[in-house]
Amino acid sequence: MPETVSTAGVSGPHDAEITAALGTRSVVLVGMMGAGKSTIGRRLSARLRLPFLDADIEIETAAAMSIPEIFEAHGEPHFRDGEARVIARLLDHGPAVIATGGGAFMREETRNRIRLQAVSIWLKADADIIMRRVKRRVDRPLLHTADPAATVGRLIEEREPVYRHADLTIWSRDVPHEKIVEECIDALHARLCAGGTAAAAQETTETPGTLDATR
Ligand code: S3P
Protein backbone atom coordinates (compact mmCIF):
# COMPACT_ATOMS: atom_id res chain seq x y z
CA MET A 1 0.00 0.00 0.00
CA PRO A 2 1.39 3.44 -0.84
CA GLU A 3 2.25 5.55 2.17
CA THR A 4 1.57 9.23 2.28
CA VAL A 5 3.25 11.79 4.49
CA SER A 6 1.85 15.15 5.48
CA THR A 7 3.16 17.83 3.16
CA ALA A 8 1.91 20.67 5.33
CA GLY A 9 4.15 23.68 4.96
CA VAL A 10 6.77 21.86 2.85
CA SER A 11 7.22 22.83 -0.78
CA GLY A 12 9.71 24.41 -3.10
CA PRO A 13 9.62 26.26 -6.40
CA HIS A 14 10.73 23.23 -8.45
CA ASP A 15 8.54 20.52 -6.94
CA ALA A 16 5.57 20.68 -9.30
CA GLU A 17 7.80 21.17 -12.33
CA ILE A 18 9.69 17.96 -11.50
CA THR A 19 6.49 15.97 -10.98
CA ALA A 20 5.16 17.20 -14.33
CA ALA A 21 8.42 16.31 -16.11
CA LEU A 22 8.38 12.81 -14.61
CA GLY A 23 5.05 11.96 -16.23
CA THR A 24 4.46 8.29 -15.39
CA ARG A 25 8.12 7.70 -14.46
CA SER A 26 9.03 7.14 -10.84
CA VAL A 27 11.97 8.29 -8.76
CA VAL A 28 13.85 5.23 -7.51
CA LEU A 29 16.31 5.38 -4.63
CA VAL A 30 19.14 2.86 -4.66
CA GLY A 31 22.12 2.27 -2.40
CA MET A 32 23.36 0.34 0.58
CA MET A 33 21.32 -0.62 3.63
CA GLY A 34 21.38 2.31 6.03
CA ALA A 35 21.92 4.87 3.27
CA GLY A 36 18.58 6.49 4.14
CA LYS A 37 16.53 5.38 1.13
CA SER A 38 13.28 5.02 3.08
CA THR A 39 13.76 8.09 5.25
CA ILE A 40 14.71 10.34 2.36
CA GLY A 41 12.23 8.66 -0.01
CA ARG A 42 9.31 9.33 2.30
CA ARG A 43 10.20 13.02 2.55
CA LEU A 44 10.93 13.34 -1.15
CA SER A 45 7.56 11.83 -1.99
CA ALA A 46 5.87 14.40 0.24
CA ARG A 47 7.69 17.20 -1.60
CA LEU A 48 6.74 15.83 -5.01
CA ARG A 49 3.23 14.90 -3.85
CA LEU A 50 3.70 11.38 -5.11
CA PRO A 51 2.97 8.12 -3.29
CA PHE A 52 5.88 6.57 -1.40
CA LEU A 53 6.51 2.87 -1.91
CA ASP A 54 9.05 0.86 0.07
CA ALA A 55 9.94 -2.22 -1.98
CA ASP A 56 10.96 -4.19 1.14
CA ILE A 57 7.55 -3.60 2.71
CA GLU A 58 5.79 -4.49 -0.55
CA ILE A 59 7.76 -7.76 -0.71
CA GLU A 60 6.82 -8.58 2.89
CA THR A 61 3.17 -7.82 2.17
CA ALA A 62 3.14 -9.94 -1.01
CA ALA A 63 4.77 -12.87 0.79
CA ALA A 64 2.93 -12.35 4.08
CA MET A 65 6.32 -12.92 5.72
CA SER A 66 9.11 -10.71 7.04
CA ILE A 67 12.34 -10.48 5.04
CA PRO A 68 14.30 -12.53 7.63
CA GLU A 69 11.55 -15.18 7.42
CA ILE A 70 11.76 -15.26 3.61
CA PHE A 71 15.55 -15.68 3.73
CA GLU A 72 15.23 -18.35 6.41
CA ALA A 73 12.44 -20.37 4.75
CA HIS A 74 13.31 -19.99 1.06
CA GLY A 75 16.84 -18.57 0.77
CA GLU A 76 18.24 -15.45 -0.84
CA PRO A 77 17.71 -16.43 -4.53
CA HIS A 78 13.98 -16.81 -3.88
CA PHE A 79 13.92 -13.43 -2.14
CA ARG A 80 15.74 -11.83 -5.10
CA ASP A 81 13.23 -13.24 -7.61
CA GLY A 82 10.33 -11.89 -5.57
CA GLU A 83 12.11 -8.55 -5.18
CA ALA A 84 12.55 -8.22 -8.97
CA ARG A 85 8.88 -9.04 -9.57
CA VAL A 86 7.66 -6.58 -6.96
CA ILE A 87 9.84 -3.74 -8.27
CA ALA A 88 8.64 -4.43 -11.84
CA ARG A 89 5.05 -4.16 -10.62
CA LEU A 90 5.71 -0.93 -8.71
CA LEU A 91 7.40 0.61 -11.76
CA ASP A 92 4.41 -0.27 -13.92
CA HIS A 93 2.20 1.80 -11.64
CA GLY A 94 4.21 5.01 -11.56
CA PRO A 95 4.69 7.74 -10.84
CA ALA A 96 5.83 7.20 -7.27
CA VAL A 97 8.94 7.54 -5.14
CA ILE A 98 10.27 4.02 -4.62
CA ALA A 99 12.88 2.97 -2.06
CA THR A 100 14.57 -0.28 -3.10
CA GLY A 101 16.40 -2.80 -0.94
CA GLY A 102 20.19 -2.56 -1.11
CA GLY A 103 20.62 -5.56 -3.40
CA ALA A 104 17.85 -4.84 -5.88
CA PHE A 105 19.87 -2.69 -8.30
CA MET A 106 22.44 -5.49 -8.64
CA ARG A 107 20.08 -7.41 -10.92
CA GLU A 108 20.51 -6.32 -14.54
CA GLU A 109 16.86 -6.83 -15.42
CA THR A 110 15.81 -4.53 -12.57
CA ARG A 111 18.39 -1.92 -13.56
CA ASN A 112 17.05 -1.94 -17.11
CA ARG A 113 13.48 -1.51 -15.95
CA ILE A 114 14.51 1.35 -13.68
CA ARG A 115 16.42 3.01 -16.54
CA LEU A 116 13.34 2.88 -18.76
CA GLN A 117 10.63 3.67 -16.24
CA ALA A 118 12.27 5.90 -13.64
CA VAL A 119 14.95 8.35 -12.69
CA SER A 120 17.33 6.70 -10.24
CA ILE A 121 19.19 8.32 -7.37
CA TRP A 122 22.09 6.56 -5.66
CA LEU A 123 22.21 7.61 -2.02
CA LYS A 124 25.89 7.09 -1.40
CA ALA A 125 27.03 6.60 2.20
CA ASP A 126 30.33 5.82 3.90
CA ALA A 127 30.86 2.50 5.65
CA ASP A 128 31.05 4.06 9.12
CA ILE A 129 27.71 5.83 8.68
CA ILE A 130 26.13 2.67 7.32
CA MET A 131 27.46 0.64 10.26
CA ARG A 132 26.21 3.18 12.78
CA ARG A 133 22.73 3.11 11.24
CA VAL A 134 22.37 -0.64 10.66
CA LYS A 135 23.50 -1.47 14.19
CA ARG A 136 20.17 -0.15 15.46
CA ARG A 137 18.24 -2.94 13.70
CA VAL A 138 18.55 -6.71 13.48
CA ASP A 139 16.26 -7.35 10.54
CA ARG A 140 18.88 -7.53 7.81
CA PRO A 141 19.75 -11.18 7.24
CA LEU A 142 22.83 -10.41 5.14
CA LEU A 143 24.43 -8.87 8.22
CA HIS A 144 23.90 -11.90 10.43
CA THR A 145 27.58 -12.74 10.09
CA ALA A 146 30.50 -13.03 12.52
CA ASP A 147 31.87 -9.68 11.33
CA PRO A 148 29.11 -7.36 10.04
CA ALA A 149 31.56 -4.48 9.46
CA ALA A 150 33.63 -6.68 7.14
CA THR A 151 30.44 -7.78 5.38
CA VAL A 152 29.39 -4.16 4.84
CA GLY A 153 32.88 -3.39 3.48
CA ARG A 154 32.67 -6.31 1.04
CA LEU A 155 29.16 -5.36 -0.11
CA ILE A 156 30.21 -1.74 -0.68
CA GLU A 157 33.12 -2.92 -2.79
CA GLU A 158 30.94 -5.24 -4.86
CA ARG A 159 28.04 -2.88 -5.24
CA GLU A 160 29.42 0.63 -5.68
CA PRO A 161 30.57 0.01 -9.28
CA VAL A 162 26.96 -0.94 -10.06
CA TYR A 163 25.24 1.78 -8.02
CA ARG A 164 27.36 4.20 -10.06
CA HIS A 165 25.05 3.49 -13.01
CA ALA A 166 22.21 5.34 -11.28
CA ASP A 167 21.19 8.56 -13.05
CA LEU A 168 22.08 10.79 -10.09
CA THR A 169 24.29 10.49 -7.03
CA ILE A 170 23.65 12.21 -3.73
CA TRP A 171 25.98 11.94 -0.76
CA SER A 172 24.00 10.71 2.22
CA ARG A 173 25.71 11.97 5.33
CA ASP A 174 24.96 13.21 8.82
CA VAL A 175 23.15 16.42 7.98
CA PRO A 176 19.45 17.17 8.48
CA HIS A 177 17.29 14.97 6.23
CA GLU A 178 15.74 18.03 4.64
CA LYS A 179 19.13 19.03 3.27
CA ILE A 180 19.53 15.70 1.48
CA VAL A 181 15.96 16.00 0.17
CA GLU A 182 16.74 19.49 -1.13
CA GLU A 183 19.80 18.14 -2.93
CA CYS A 184 17.69 15.39 -4.51
CA ILE A 185 15.19 18.01 -5.66
CA ASP A 186 17.94 20.20 -7.16
CA ALA A 187 19.50 17.23 -8.93
CA LEU A 188 16.14 16.06 -10.30
CA HIS A 189 15.33 19.55 -11.49
CA ALA A 190 18.69 19.93 -13.22
CA ARG A 191 18.25 16.61 -14.97
CA LEU A 192 14.60 16.80 -15.89
CA CYS A 193 13.73 20.45 -16.25
CA ALA A 194 16.65 22.82 -16.67
CA GLY A 195 16.98 22.98 -20.46
CA GLY A 196 15.03 19.77 -20.75
CA THR A 197 18.11 17.56 -20.53
CA ALA A 198 21.02 16.91 -18.22
CA ALA A 199 22.93 19.67 -20.02
CA ALA A 200 22.60 22.15 -17.19
CA ALA A 201 23.62 19.52 -14.71
CA GLN A 202 26.81 18.77 -16.57
CA GLU A 203 28.25 22.01 -15.31
CA THR A 204 27.91 20.76 -11.75
CA THR A 205 31.13 19.38 -10.38
CA GLU A 206 31.21 16.25 -8.29
CA THR A 207 31.34 17.23 -4.69
CA PRO A 208 29.74 15.41 -1.79
CA GLY A 209 26.06 16.13 -1.77
CA THR A 210 25.73 17.40 -5.30
CA LEU A 211 24.63 15.91 -8.54
CA ASP A 212 27.16 13.87 -10.41
CA ALA A 213 26.01 14.29 -13.96
CA THR A 214 28.93 12.40 -15.44
CA ARG A 215 27.36 9.01 -14.74
C1 S3P B 1 19.32 -6.04 1.47
C2 S3P B 1 18.84 -4.87 1.97
C3 S3P B 1 17.56 -4.78 2.70
C4 S3P B 1 16.63 -5.92 2.32
C5 S3P B 1 17.33 -7.22 2.46
C6 S3P B 1 18.58 -7.33 1.59
C7 S3P B 1 20.61 -6.03 0.73
O1 S3P B 1 16.93 -3.55 2.40
O2 S3P B 1 16.18 -5.78 1.00
O3 S3P B 1 17.66 -7.41 3.82
O4 S3P B 1 20.87 -6.97 -0.05
O5 S3P B 1 21.38 -5.05 0.89
P1 S3P B 1 17.48 -2.10 2.90
O6 S3P B 1 18.54 -1.67 1.92
O7 S3P B 1 16.28 -1.24 2.81
O8 S3P B 1 17.98 -2.29 4.28
Side-chain angles (χ1 to χ4, degrees), residues 31-35 37-38 54-56 59 67-68 71 76 79-80 83 99-104 106 134 137 139-143 155 159 163:
M32 281 291 290
M33 320 173 215
K37 295 170 300 227
S38 302
D54 189 314
D56 283 347
I59 294 162
I67 288 175
F71 269 75
E76 184 177 348
F79 169 78
R80 296 296 175 197
E83 178 177 53
T100 59
M106 299 304 288
V134 298
R137 283 168 44 179
D139 57 355
R140 289 177 170 114
L142 289 187
L143 298 185
L155 288 173
R159 291 175 172 183
Y163 292 151

Side-chain angles (χ1 to χ4, degrees), residues 19-102:
T19 309
L22 281 170
T24 58
R25 284 178 295 173
S26 292
V27 176
V28 171
L29 299 173
V30 305
M32 281 291 290
M33 320 173 215
K37 295 170 300 227
S38 302
T39 310
I40 299 303
R42 207 170 278 116
R43 287 168 168 77
L44 188 58
S45 75
R47 283 286 299 267
L48 299 178
R49 296 175 197 267
L50 292 175
F52 173 69
L53 299 164
D54 189 314
D56 283 347
I57 293 175
E58 298 290 328
I59 294 162
E60 292 183 324
T61 305
M65 290 167 103
S66 70
I67 288 175
E69 283 167 353
I70 302 171
F71 269 75
E72 170 83 28
H74 303 295
E76 184 177 348
H78 177 93
F79 169 78
R80 296 296 175 197
D81 289 344
E83 178 177 53
R85 277 195 305 274
V86 165
I87 292 173
R89 168 170 58 79
L90 301 183
L91 287 168
D92 281 343
H93 292 89
V97 175
I98 303 171
T100 59

Side-chain angles (χ1 to χ4, degrees), residues 63 78 197 215:
H78 177 93
T197 66
R215 302 193 204 290

